[in-house]
Amino acid sequence: MRIFCWAVSAVLIIGCGGLPDAKDAPPGTSLPTIDWSAWRAPPVEYRPWVRWWWPGNDVDDIEIKREIELLAAHGFGGAEIQALNAALDPAAAEDELQRRLSVDTPEYWAHIKLALAAAEEAGIAIDLTLGSGWPTGGPNVAAVDSMQTLIWGEAEVKGGAQVTVAIPPPTMPAFYQVAEMAAAFGEPMARYLVDQAQLEAVIAARVVGGERAPNPLILNDFLELDVDSLVDLTESVADQQVTF
């Protein structure tokens, strides 16, 4: 039996599973049906989005409209505009550099408005970022206003008798380990604020397969759990321990 301690403020779990075939169902069992037409042409709110990297403000109205029409025609639900200058030629012609670097000018916002109008007409959505793929932040952003994540700890126990187990502390995920390495080179990516984590749930389940790798940077290890054995022990927690 393995205990999982979830420390998070908000969790979104998206699952997608196959349905059993009718011939495999027990007698008298009615199976849900799938509207396959919805898979072929899903509503726009369920379609995938793309990252849309603009070379700063060096964009063209006609091309903006053309690319939005392409996205809509090929089944995408929207695009996230990121105007950037990274990895672009710093020795480009002066007029190109001026266009590229003229972000946050009336001309730039005119391009944004045109993209929004074109997307609305095409029936898709547009979003904007303030940084290249990362939530804008810094030491000035309070933890309560920061992006939140799910961290957890595990403890293995033997069944067959009542046991009392200390709530296992969260294990630092590989992302935060990499972030600490980057911070050592002057590139802070994220803060691991485990001391401010809040306990959300304690659950236990029987392990029926798989194993944990000792190296946390090995990301393809797994545990297979017996779903029918899953129990919620959150209400049994007292003094950072759980008895079951």
Side-chain angles (χ1 to χ4, degrees):
M1 184 75 77
R2 194 170 288 262
I3 297 175
F4 296 84
C5 170
W6 306 91
V8 68
S9 294
V11 184
L12 173 63
I13 300 176
I14 302 175
C16 179
L19 294 175
D21 193 274
K23 63 182 176 59
D24 299 323
T29 300
S30 60
L31 296 177
T33 58
I34 295 178
D35 180 4
W36 292 109
S37 64
W39 287 79
R40 288 188 290 267
V44 67
E45 61 266 28
Y46 299 116
R47 297 177 188 175
W49 282 43
V50 300
R51 306 294 308 281
W52 195 10
W53 287 358
W54 286 13
N57 190 36
D58 189 14
V59 294
D60 176 81
D61 287 351
I62 295 177
E63 182 63 17
I64 289 174
K65 291 182 179 180
R66 188 186 76 85
E67 294 189 19
I68 286 178
E69 291 170 357
L70 281 174
L71 290 172
H74 288 79
F76 291 95
E80 181 187 68
I81 296 175
Q82 168 61 61
L84 51 78
N85 187 44
L88 300 179
D89 184 8
E94 184 62 27
D95 60 338
E96 178 183 334
L97 289 175
Q98 288 182 0
R99 291 193 303 272
R100 187 195 304 168
L101 299 177
S102 62
V103 175
D104 198 22
T105 63
E107 292 78 12
Y108 172 75
W109 292 112
H111 285 142
I112 294 292
K113 290 179 181 179
L114 182 138
L116 295 175
E120 183 177 21
E121 182 177 353
I124 64 175
I126 293 292
D127 200 357
L128 305 175
T129 65
L130 296 178
S132 184
W134 303 99
T136 300
N140 57 302
V141 178
V144 68
D145 298 321
S146 297
M147 182 179 71
Q148 297 164 358
T149 189
L150 172 66
I151 54 179
W152 68 93
E154 300 175 12
E156 187 172 356
V157 298
K158 299 294 184 182
Q162 187 180 70
V163 293
T164 298
V165 183
I167 301 299
T171 301
M172 180 185 286
F175 169 78
Y176 289 100
Q177 296 191 36
V178 173
E180 286 197 349
M181 297 177 191
F185 293 96
E187 294 290 342
M189 297 169 54
R191 295 175 293 172
Y192 185 58
L193 306 178
V194 66
D195 57 316
Q196 299 186 39
Q198 297 181 348
L199 180 67
E200 288 296 315
V202 176
I203 62 174
R206 183 176 296 109
V207 178
V208 294
E211 62 179 355
R212 282 289 188 229
N215 184 349
L217 296 180
I218 296 177
L219 304 180
N220 60 352
D221 61 338
F222 72 95
L223 291 176
E224 182 181 354
L225 305 178
D226 177 7
V227 177
D228 293 334
S229 71
L230 194 69
V231 291
D232 186 343
L233 304 174
T234 309
E235 294 185 357
S236 300
V237 175
D239 298 326
Q240 295 301 307
Q241 295 181 328
V242 61
T243 299
F244 65 105

